[in-house]
Amino acid sequence: MKVALKVYRYNPEKDDKPHYEKYELELRDDAVVLDALNEIKWSFDGSLSYRRSCRHGICGSCAVKMNGKNVLACKTPLKEAIESFGDVLTIEPLNTKKEKVIKDLVTDKKDFWDKNKKVKPFLIANIDEHPEKENLIKPEQVEELEEADYCISCGCCYDACGSVSANNDFLGPQALAKTYRFTADSRDNAKEERLDFVNKLGIGVWDCIKCQACIEVCPKGVDPFTKITHLHNQIFEENIAKKNVATKHSEGFVHSIKKHGILDEGMLVLYSEGVNVVRHLPEAIAMMKKGKITFPWNMPKSEGIEEIKKLIEISQTNDLKG
Ligand code: FES
């Protein structure tokens, strides 16, 4: 199989700026992206730098960006990639910002690992360090955390996350999915402490912008976005949620659906921000002119509103702490 690759090259010690180099390779039909990188390094240019270790989708080190999508190089068949993206595949580091690139496809992942460390991604439990038998949990308890447990910390979700790119303090989908991995584990004794940490505004679950890019790129099917949603629920269930813009936003959402059966975008902002809503007045006027929001008394009601109200009442969880 003939393959053409355009590879991002940048050596900060020599180059003023990054550039792309094109390689034409002859590879087996079942080759993966990592095979192509190995072929370039071993047969064309030994200076090409990239990370890899296990070649089995376990270590998470070979994550790269291929034609704009974050993938594991060792799990991405070239044939399928060519079918999806065309004859020339562009391979870049997960983050192409010059200051993040150590060399070629190798990026500095310090902030990613620092955040991973902050959420204490290990079991905190009073368990005998030298047990005579295994500490078993029930199959249904394992199901709760199974998907989250598949995370290999490759960073594909972290570098695709819209919230991380806008706010570098945000813990990111990987660290939050790891948090859920342990808050959902019946053996863990630090659930409250963990939820308290990810409840913090500016860094935690309330700063997820719900772009869902993490679901799209996760090569292991972890679905970090849904784990973040589970954390929201746990925060309410454990009475850890405090009144703030984010939690009031959630309450406002429920209030609006209960009242109209559909979302009243204008009132949602008022509900979340209270008197601070005045700072959004110019946007509100512009939205009103385009018919995107209306006055509360003009809001239509959904068909079956009574049924919607009942469904919300049945499913509603705890109220917020003051
Ligand atoms: S080399 Fe280990 S996940 Fe790809």
Side-chain angles (χ1 to χ4, degrees):
M1 176 175 63
K2 286 198 184 319
V3 184
L5 248 62
K6 243 170 70 186
V7 182
Y8 177 103
R9 304 297 307 265
Y10 179 48
N11 180 352
E13 286 179 9
K14 289 190 189 155
D15 305 329
D16 290 337
K17 55 181 184 167
H19 63 282
Y20 290 82
E21 272 180 35
K22 197 166 171 186
Y23 303 92
E24 290 185 0
L25 316 168
E26 186 72 46
L27 292 163
R28 287 168 45 143
D29 280 2
D30 59 358
V32 292
V33 173
L34 183 59
D35 294 323
L37 295 176
N38 288 338
E39 176 65 6
I40 294 170
K41 186 165 181 78
W42 296 336
S43 305
F44 290 82
D45 183 351
S47 72
L48 176 66
S49 297
Y50 52 98
R51 289 191 176 108
R52 87 277 194 226
S53 180
C54 72
R55 206 211 176 273
H56 289 289
I58 298 298
C59 72
S61 60
C62 68
V64 290
K65 198 185 282 294
M66 182 183 69
N67 290 52
K69 185 175 181 203
N70 298 352
V71 297
L72 287 183
C74 72
K75 293 298 282 180
T76 308
L78 281 165
K79 213 168 184 178
E80 282 175 26
I82 291 166
E83 274 164 23
S84 306
F85 296 112
D87 288 343
V88 182
L89 300 175
T90 303
I91 309 293
E92 296 170 307
L94 283 184
N95 194 324
T96 49
K97 280 187 199 145
K98 256 173 81 176
E99 63 276 18
K100 285 294 224 180
V101 177
I102 295 173
K103 187 168 178 287
D104 300 331
L105 305 176
V106 178
T107 55
D108 178 358
K109 294 178 82 174
K110 185 178 182 308
D111 58 338
F112 173 81
W113 291 118
D114 284 350
K115 291 172 188 178
N116 179 66
K117 197 170 160 192
K118 277 185 191 161
V119 299
K120 302 186 182 163
F122 44 82
L123 198 71
I124 300 176
N126 299 325
I127 291 176
D128 184 356
E129 284 184 20
H130 305 288
E132 284 178 12
K133 53 184 186 175
E134 288 167 277
N135 189 12
L136 297 177
I137 60 174
K138 292 185 185 141
E140 56 271 27
Q141 291 173 317
V142 176
E143 267 171 37
E144 288 286 309
L145 54 95
E146 200 156 53
E147 267 183 2
D149 204 31
Y150 295 155
C151 174
I152 55 171
S153 302
C154 61
C156 281
C157 63
Y158 184 78
D159 281 293
C161 173
S163 295
V164 171
S165 61
N167 165 19
N168 200 41
D169 292 331
F170 179 55
L171 289 165
Q174 180 269 354
L176 293 171
K178 282 279 177 211
T179 302
Y180 175 76
R181 157 65 186 82
F182 294 99
T183 59
D185 191 322
S186 56
R187 298 164 299 179
D188 193 81
N189 291 339
K191 186 172 182 179
E192 197 172 329
E193 179 197 324
R194 293 182 193 279
L195 291 175
D196 210 35
F197 183 60
V198 299
N199 183 41
K200 286 190 190 351
L201 280 189
I203 66 165
V205 290
W206 306 108
D207 287 79
C208 164
I209 55 167
K210 303 180 173 60
C211 65
Q212 305 193 15
C214 55
I215 306 179
E216 296 246 325
V217 297
C218 176
K220 303 297 280 188
V222 170
D223 186 353
F225 171 72
T226 303
K227 306 300 168 286
I228 293 172
T229 307
H230 290 337
L231 288 171
H232 285 142
N233 290 339
Q234 288 179 339
I235 284 170
F236 280 111
E237 284 159 11
E238 300 292 324
N239 278 327
I240 286 168
K242 307 261 184 340
K243 278 210 189 292
N244 60 42
V245 172
T247 54
K248 281 193 281 180
H249 184 89
S250 302
E251 280 199 329
F253 198 96
V254 175
H255 178 81
S256 173
I257 302 292
K258 222 168 162 180
K259 195 163 173 198
H260 307 289
I262 50 174
L263 194 59
D264 180 351
E265 302 269 5
M267 282 307 283
L268 185 62
V269 182
L270 178 62
Y271 207 97
S272 314
E273 304 211 15
V275 287
N276 289 331
V277 76
V278 286
R279 67 197 168 106
H280 297 298
L281 216 52
E283 291 99 315
I285 292 168
M287 286 174 83
M288 213 168 246
K289 279 187 186 157
K290 298 245 177 208
K292 303 241 181 215
I293 57 172
T294 182
F295 290 108
W297 52 87
N298 286 336
M299 271 298 290
K301 283 201 193 319
S302 277
E303 271 180 43
I305 181 72
E306 291 309 318
E307 203 176 333
I308 292 172
K309 265 189 211 167
K310 272 188 213 142
L311 284 172
I312 292 177
E313 272 152 28
I314 295 166
S315 59
Q316 194 143 18
T317 52
N318 309 30
D319 283 337
L320 292 171
K321 273 194 218 171

